[in-house]
Amino acid sequence: HVATCVKEATGYTVGDWITARRLTEAAALLLHTDDGVEAIAGRVGWADRTHFTRLFRRRYGTSPGAWRRAQRP
């Protein structure tokens, strides 16, 4: 029932919503910390840096490192 309510309210499945939230948090950490990509992946819940990078690239269109370089002044 909860999954159906979340899908109706947000348009996302629970899993997609959680993934999007984790990637948003990772982007904030990339922008505001000097932590490495592997450390950030771990902080937001991915033990596998490769999987994290793949999902980040799918959402933001570039790797986490390249995104960080492009976003920072």
Side-chain angles (χ1 to χ4, degrees):
H1 177 72
V2 172
T4 301
C5 290
V6 170
K7 175 76 172 181
E8 288 175 359
T10 66
Y12 296 103
T13 66
V14 172
D16 289 344
W17 185 80
I18 291 169
T19 298
R21 177 67 185 101
R22 289 163 71 190
L23 289 169
T24 299
E25 178 65 18
L29 290 168
L30 285 164
L31 190 58
H32 300 293
T33 71
D34 290 327
D35 294 348
V37 172
E38 191 161 349
I40 290 173
R43 283 180 65 183
V44 297
W46 277 288
D48 181 9
R49 178 182 180 209
T50 303
H51 185 64
F52 165 70
T53 300
R54 187 177 310 119
L55 292 172
F56 192 93
R57 185 184 307 271
R58 189 177 301 154
R59 176 157 186 193
Y60 291 99
T62 188
S63 69
W67 186 88
R68 173 185 265 171
R69 287 187 296 275
Q71 298 300 313
R72 287 192 170 180

